[in-house]
Amino acid sequence: NKGKYEHYMQKEIHEQPESLTTTMRGRLKRGGSTKAKTVLLGGLKDHIKSIRRSRRIVFIGCGTSYNAALAARPIIEELSGVPVTMEIASDLVDRQGPIYREDTAVFVSQSGETADTLLALEYALENGALCVGITNTVGSAIARNTHCGIHLNAGCEIGVASTKAYTSQIVVMAMLALAIGDDAISSQARREAIIDGLFDLPNKVREVLKLDQEMKELAKLLIAEQSLLVFGRGYNFATALEGALKVKEVSLMHSEGMLAGEMKHGPLALVDENLPIIVIATRDACFSKQQSVIQQLHARKGRLIVVCSKGDAAAVCPGGSSSCRVIEVPQVEDCLQPVVNIIPLQLLAYHLTVLRGYNVDQPRNLAKSVTTQ
Ligand code: M6R
């Protein structure tokens, strides 16, 4: 049932304040003044110590689910101190890459039925790793065959383009980071700030959804473009990959997400006054590096669209508002910022698709759940 919306993708983008609330429900505890703030992940309680002691955490997934894990990687590394590596499921299986008994392998999949991810799970089980599932589908193959796991509780996602599952996946993995790091006194203040940020996140998402009309206007400007680049780094490298995936998947416009730190190693050659480039430059430890990326793109007359924190328009637009278009988003705790930052890009992909006259909920050649190799 699409309710008041025209498409499932549109509905699922707009219901993210509610889906994030249900993802967190019953899992975050903010006790009285003497009680510490904590996270409870029922499905992991018997395994959390083993995860904490593992030699490595390996995230495995495809498409959007992989991108969500990439967004969560820095906070898991920071709070757990355990090295985190990333695997695209098909590539791990193709390479028969090393997976050990001392590893925790985390399988991220909205449907829980993706063939490549399932094959990687079989492989990790054979190699003796502790296997954790993060899925949105109770009773799915990945939920059944992993040793333990966390359900997204984001509600059924129907649009082929994953939107609300992505933001719920990031939140679940942020909670996983909090749960693994729960025994460290040194990071208690950081953990509590993240828990406060999680409680407030649905409100911030509600706020950023107000950009809907602005993103429709931007889509009108981009409607006839051939190509789009998206640059991000740090927590928002994933935002660049996921934003570009959304645009290409539904609007059928070529788009590439890139690590801003790689700009000078090739992509800079593409820059001219015609190619639209989105730069994610919200406030975090990488902000000044993104400012200099913007300056370099500006010096080459790049056509810039900058996603920045509220009030930062002047700080990110070297030549004033005529030189670039700015999308201001609310600032949240750095590790939660990818949840907020992806939303204008989801809205852009949605409006571009409708304006270009393509099928939003069922893009050509794609299936919601890829159950064959
Ligand atoms: O169900 P899964 O999360 O395992 O699906 C993985 C990908 O097929 C999926 O995320 C795909 O990339 C989406 N259609 C992207 O919007």
Side-chain angles (χ1 to χ4, degrees):
N1 185 337
K2 293 197 280 265
K4 61 177 179 178
Y5 297 102
E6 277 173 60
H7 303 100
Y8 283 110
M9 181 181 179
Q10 183 188 30
K11 173 175 177 275
E12 287 158 6
I13 292 173
H14 286 275
E15 72 192 14
Q16 289 177 101
E18 292 73 40
S19 52
L20 290 169
T21 303
T22 56
T23 294
M24 291 187 277
R25 184 165 294 141
R27 291 168 161 172
L28 291 180
K29 296 276 173 278
R30 195 156 46 170
S33 54
T34 50
K35 271 186 131 191
K37 298 164 185 171
T38 50
V39 167
L40 286 175
L41 297 171
L44 291 191
K45 67 176 187 319
D46 297 333
H47 295 89
I48 206 79
K49 280 195 186 131
S50 320
I51 300 175
R52 213 173 267 153
R53 279 198 298 259
S54 49
R55 269 241 215 116
R56 173 177 75 145
I57 297 171
V58 190
F59 277 109
I60 302 163
C62 308
T64 290
S65 293
Y66 174 90
N67 293 342
L70 189 66
R73 177 193 203 178
I75 194 61
I76 306 240
E77 286 177 334
E78 180 189 328
L79 293 184
S80 73
V82 180
V84 178
T85 60
M86 301 293 309
E87 292 284 358
I88 290 178
S90 62
D91 188 46
L92 175 69
V93 174
D94 288 349
R95 289 176 5 251
Q96 298 280 293
I99 296 282
Y100 302 111
R101 296 181 64 78
E102 301 80 9
D103 288 334
T104 296
V106 183
F107 295 84
V108 188
S109 172
Q110 188 285 132
S111 62
E113 301 289 349
T114 299
D116 289 322
T117 313
L118 267 170
L119 282 171
L121 170 58
E122 253 170 53
Y123 175 73
L125 287 169
E126 278 163 20
N127 285 276
L130 171 64
C131 294
V132 180
I134 297 179
T135 80
N136 196 31
T137 319
V138 177
S140 62
I142 290 173
R144 279 185 279 113
N145 296 324
T146 40
H147 297 115
C148 57
I150 319 171
H151 281 296
L152 294 183
N153 296 334
C156 185
E157 190 180 67
I158 293 169
V160 165
S162 187
T163 52
K164 64 175 181 170
Y166 177 72
T167 48
S168 283
Q169 283 167 336
I170 298 175
V171 161
V172 156
M173 288 183 265
M175 292 193 291
L176 174 64
L178 292 164
I180 303 175
D182 203 20
D183 60 340
I185 301 290
S186 57
S187 58
Q188 190 172 338
R190 169 78 159 142
R191 287 199 310 275
E192 295 195 356
I194 296 169
I195 294 176
D196 287 338
L198 284 168
F199 273 109
D200 202 28
L201 195 57
N203 287 330
K204 301 291 187 191
V205 167
R206 214 164 274 127
E207 201 179 318
V208 76
L209 281 165
K210 293 187 188 140
L211 288 171
D212 191 39
Q213 195 52 37
E214 198 175 323
M215 298 318 293
K216 187 171 178 183
E217 294 308 315
L218 178 61
K220 284 182 191 161
L221 291 179
L222 298 179
I223 184 170
E225 295 302 332
Q226 300 271 328
S227 196
L228 173 73
L229 298 188
V230 191
F231 280 116
R233 73 194 316 146
Y235 286 106
N236 289 290
F237 173 34
T239 308
L241 295 186
E242 176 60 11
L245 176 60
K246 282 300 84 100
V247 169
K248 79 173 74 138
E249 175 181 32
V250 288
S251 81
L252 316 186
M253 179 188 289
H254 169 250
S255 57
E256 288 304 320
M258 292 176 179
L259 187 64
E262 281 287 285
M263 182 182 72
K264 289 186 194 156
H265 304 286
L268 196 55
L270 291 170
V271 178
D272 63 12
E273 59 276 19
N274 300 315
L275 174 67
I277 304 173
I278 299 180
V279 183
I280 316 292
T282 40
R283 289 272 170 175
D284 61 18
C286 296
F287 179 66
S288 60
K289 289 186 188 170
Q290 282 304 71
Q291 279 180 306
S292 92
V293 161
I294 293 168
Q295 267 157 12
Q296 292 169 44
L297 291 169
H298 181 63
R300 285 157 186 89
K301 303 198 167 43
R303 209 176 133 196
L304 296 177
I305 300 152
V306 182
V307 177
C308 68
S309 304
K310 261 209 177 110
D312 261 350
V316 295
C317 251
S321 57
S322 59
S323 71
C324 71
R325 210 180 159 97
V326 169
I327 301 158
E328 294 188 42
V329 299
Q331 191 182 343
V332 296
E333 202 64 23
D334 53 8
C335 61
L336 305 176
Q337 195 70 49
V339 171
V340 168
N341 290 359
I342 195 58
I343 289 173
L345 304 183
Q346 293 173 343
L347 290 167
L348 176 66
Y350 171 76
H351 287 298
L352 261 179
T353 311
V354 174
L355 290 168
R356 283 160 72 103
Y358 295 122
N359 189 330
V360 186
D361 288 329
Q362 180 50 76
R364 69 177 184 204
N365 309 336
L366 297 183
K368 177 68 183 160
S369 179
V370 184
T371 53
T372 53
Q373 260 188 294

